[in-house]
Amino acid sequence: MRNDKTIDPREVEYYTRMAETWWDREGPFWPLHTLNELRLTYIRNHLCEHFGRDAATERPLHGLRVLDVGCGGGILAESMAKLGADVTGIDIVEKNINIAKLHAQAQSLPIDYRLTTAAELAASGAHFSVVLNMEVVEHVADLAAFMHDCNRLTGEGGVMFVATINRTPLAWLFAIVGAEYVLGWLPRGTHRWRLFRKPQEIRALLANGGLVVKDITGVAVKPIARTMRFTSLTQVNYMMFCTRD
């Protein structure tokens, strides 16, 4: 395993076991597939407004260099590529990268998947127009170091999206007790409450890298219908759109 203090060995072991179920929409990652439809709308609309693109066109993100940090099996990376973006996806779980590569090839999508860390990529001097930091910060061992690396990867005039779970009693009740133990939507142990991140913590770490939060929205889940929607409440899940100050 790479000598990177942001890597949590427990998280690597967990996602290695789960890797082959990434593209099973009825499997343990079904909430991520449902969430992907919502977050894709959020990302596309903000990018088109920021970069002056027409969201109604077939490939509105054509030419934008996008980095998907912690890309997993490629669910979000493929969605971005279909919108025309030039996508690089990185992950520290080799099985995830292999599955993502195979699935992208089957879809004829030219995505650059790499088995590497944000720290290694940042050290190489790489920069991107868009950094997708989605559902990752609650799985890293050293949040400050990880956010520092993501900030460095966000180029001049670039933007970052951050999505995660708030560290509140309500989030513990819904994301852990409800989703993992009562409803069984996620395998038990998927999340640890102490690793949930408050919005103000993320804001402060973004500011250290010259990034400012321009928009924040909550995500509400309808358990019976298995659907999700935007909400002004951020006590459980939230997404941020951030630009350089």
Side-chain angles (χ1 to χ4, degrees):
M1 185 181 298
R2 288 176 166 80
N3 184 22
D4 185 327
K5 64 181 180 180
T6 69
I7 296 176
D8 187 329
R10 174 175 165 175
E11 296 293 330
V12 175
E13 180 185 359
Y14 174 82
Y15 281 98
T16 297
R17 294 197 309 268
M18 299 288 290
E20 294 180 3
T21 64
W22 274 106
W23 288 97
D24 180 2
R25 291 180 176 270
E26 300 302 320
F29 286 113
W30 77 261
L32 192 56
H33 284 276
T34 302
L35 176 61
N36 189 61
E37 297 175 6
L38 194 69
R39 66 184 180 181
L40 186 63
T41 299
Y42 184 80
I43 293 168
R44 181 197 61 210
N45 290 348
H46 278 293
L47 288 182
C48 287
E49 181 179 1
H50 182 80
F51 290 106
R53 306 296 182 90
D54 184 356
T57 61
E58 185 177 357
R59 292 165 60 83
L61 307 185
H62 177 72
L64 287 181
R65 296 189 68 236
V66 174
L67 173 66
D68 186 7
V69 181
C71 63
I75 295 171
L76 180 56
E78 287 199 9
S79 296
M80 297 299 289
K82 289 176 181 177
L83 292 178
D86 180 7
V87 182
T88 298
I90 65 172
D91 206 286
I92 58 172
V93 177
E94 187 172 7
K95 276 191 173 183
N96 287 348
I97 290 295
N98 291 338
I99 287 169
K101 283 181 177 180
L102 288 172
H103 200 272
Q105 289 170 3
Q107 306 299 312
S108 299
L109 294 172
I111 301 172
D112 180 13
Y113 285 116
R114 306 182 193 180
L115 181 65
T116 188
T117 65
E120 290 173 342
L121 194 58
S124 74
H127 295 98
F128 297 84
S129 304
V130 183
V131 173
L132 301 176
N133 185 353
M134 312 296 282
E135 290 80 41
V136 180
V137 295
E138 70 269 28
H139 299 291
V140 300
D142 188 326
L143 178 62
F146 176 74
M147 288 300 298
H148 173 69
D149 296 329
C150 291
N151 290 340
R152 292 166 63 198
L153 288 163
T154 307
E156 290 299 323
V159 303
M160 187 193 303
F161 291 87
V162 183
T164 189
I165 306 174
N166 205 340
R167 193 172 65 256
T168 64
L170 197 62
W172 173 81
L173 180 64
F174 281 94
I176 295 180
V177 176
E180 297 183 20
Y181 288 84
V182 177
L183 298 172
W185 285 358
L186 297 170
R188 295 183 180 183
T190 298
H191 293 114
R192 285 175 283 173
W193 186 81
R194 68 177 180 83
L195 294 181
F196 289 175
R197 315 300 190 180
K198 290 182 175 293
Q200 56 266 36
E201 296 170 349
I202 301 298
R203 283 181 186 270
L205 293 171
L206 286 163
N208 290 341
L211 290 160
V212 61
V213 177
K214 293 294 186 179
D215 184 76
I216 181 170
T217 184
V219 176
V221 180
K222 294 183 178 180
I224 303 300
R226 282 192 169 193
T227 59
M228 301 181 186
R229 62 177 176 83
F230 296 120
T231 176
S232 60
L233 303 177
T234 60
Q235 285 89 339
V236 181
N237 300 287
Y238 62 90
M239 290 189 284
M240 291 175 163
F241 169 60
C242 322
T243 66
R244 286 217 169 274
D245 191 359

